[in-house]
Amino acid sequence: GKLERAINLMGNPISLDPANIAVTDEPVYLHLDAPAEAVAAALEKARLTVVKEPVVVELHDGPDQPKVPVLPDYVAPGEKRTANFSVDIRKVCNMGFADPVAGDQQGGWSDEGPFNDLRDFKTGKRRFYSVDFDIIDPATNQGKAVIALYGGAISSTMPKSVTISLERKVRTLYFLHAAAWGAPGDIAEYVLHYADGTKQATTVNIPKHCNNWWNGFDPKEESRPVPVRVTNTSTGKPAWRYLRVFEIEAANNNVPVKAIELISAEGKQTPIIVAISGTSW
């Protein structure tokens, strides 16, 4: 048979060596002038070289399944993987994932002690809804892995705002975040500061863009819930907690974003930002 042409996810033609086809998580469609049986036979005989081991998908069976329906991936990250990037938040992280002592204004997560933290969340490269996140191992960052902002109920000593340098053009940004004491209402504002002096502010609302980290899927939300199975509960039985992935589209993708500012709404809720990723053109 003959390879007539190859196209990417958006239908644009791409060059491809038919004798050396790479299989990745970015779809490529091949138009072949050959019978389906011949193509199947060729694939069965093909010599495969594994460059990078695939990620094993975790399946949770049984009555304790998380309260999350099947939801669509975000589109932009899958269109061009080489345009994806992680935002370095290490300098402004102020809490870890584990909290040995409740209420001491240090340690981890929402400072509610060893039976109510996110110590079971796996660090490293993680992908949720097609977005690649770099989850910080607190052992590599002086015990800090997340950004906990001011919340009147339990985190009144946390910063009311933090600013993260970026200095790059942006198409979309993705926030992996949650809220402790997450009652409905506005909990934060995420502000993009552009290099030309303009800014773009997005109000983060529960349940529209985030939620209490104990709550599963809410039909009113635009964000995507990420279930996390925890074992350090007060009952001794495993339970599910939830992060959210929230997308912001840049209003001006021709001007670099100089910085991202995260501002608490100064209510009772504690906004917690775990990671930030983005796409460019």
Side-chain angles (χ1 to χ4, degrees), residues 14 17 19 26 28-29 42 64 80 84 88 100 115 127 139 151 161 163 179 182 197 215 220 224 226 235 255 262 276:
I14 58 176
D17 179 5
E26 185 172 338
V28 171
Y29 300 95
D64 64 335
K80 189 178 180 182
N84 297 349
D88 187 0
F115 298 114
R127 179 174 294 177
S161 68
T163 300
N215 293 355
K220 298 177 182 178
R224 312 275 202 275
V226 175
T235 64
V255 177
L262 311 174
I276 306 173

Side-chain angles (χ1 to χ4, degrees), residues 55 79-80 151 171 197 228:
V55 176
E79 290 182 345
K80 189 178 180 182
R171 177 185 178 187
V228 181

Side-chain angles (χ1 to χ4, degrees), residues 71-91:
L71 296 169
D73 288 345
Y74 288 104
V75 174
E79 290 182 345
K80 189 178 180 182
R81 287 287 169 195
T82 56
N84 297 349
F85 61 88
S86 296
V87 178
D88 187 0
I89 66 171
R90 289 175 176 269
K91 291 182 180 180

Side-chain angles (χ1 to χ4, degrees), residues 10-231:
M10 301 303 295
N12 300 312
I14 58 176
S15 59
L16 189 67
D17 179 5
N20 187 22
I21 298 176
V23 179
T24 70
D25 56 2
E26 185 172 338
V28 171
Y29 300 95
L30 307 179
H31 291 240
L32 300 167
D33 180 15
E37 295 80 4
V39 174
L43 291 173
E44 290 176 355
K45 295 178 181 179
R47 182 171 60 87
L48 301 179
T49 301
V50 178
V51 177
K52 182 179 180 182
E53 290 293 333
V55 176
V56 178
V57 176
E58 296 180 17
L59 299 177
H60 303 282
D61 299 318
D64 64 335
Q65 289 185 348
K67 305 297 189 295
V68 178
V70 177
L71 296 169
D73 288 345
Y74 288 104
V75 174
E79 290 182 345
K80 189 178 180 182
R81 287 287 169 195
T82 56
N84 297 349
F85 61 88
S86 296
V87 178
D88 187 0
I89 66 171
R90 289 175 176 269
K91 291 182 180 180
V92 294
C93 288
N94 59 353
M95 295 292 270
F97 287 112
D99 188 51
V101 180
D104 63 352
Q105 313 302 325
Q106 57 185 333
W109 202 238
S110 54
D111 196 25
E112 295 182 80
F115 298 114
N116 203 34
D117 62 30
L118 209 65
R119 67 184 63 199
D120 286 340
F121 188 52
K122 293 182 180 179
T123 59
K125 303 293 184 181
R126 306 289 303 276
R127 179 174 294 177
F128 306 114
Y129 300 105
S130 195
V131 183
D132 292 323
F133 289 102
D134 185 9
I135 312 301
I136 298 170
D137 181 350
T140 67
N141 194 44
Q142 300 181 332
K144 314 300 182 184
V146 304
I147 303 166
L149 296 177
Y150 174 96
I154 54 172
S155 59
S156 59
T157 63
M158 298 301 171
K160 294 182 178 180
S161 68
V162 300
T163 300
I164 304 158
S165 297
L166 190 56
E167 302 290 354
R168 69 180 301 161
K169 292 182 179 180
V170 169
R171 177 185 178 187
T172 56
L173 285 171
Y174 299 91
F175 297 82
L176 182 63
H177 62 184
W181 289 74
D186 296 340
I187 65 169
E189 189 174 57
Y190 295 168
V191 183
L192 308 187
H193 292 271
Y194 291 93
D196 62 0
T198 60
K199 64 181 182 179
Q200 174 185 346
T202 301
T203 299
V204 180
N205 172 272
I206 291 177
K208 190 174 182 180
H209 311 122
C210 192
N211 215 319
N212 189 313
W213 70 295
W214 276 47
N215 293 355
F217 175 72
D218 189 314
K220 298 177 182 178
E221 70 178 296
E222 296 177 2
S223 54
R224 312 275 202 275
V226 175
V228 181
R229 195 171 188 267
V230 298
T231 56

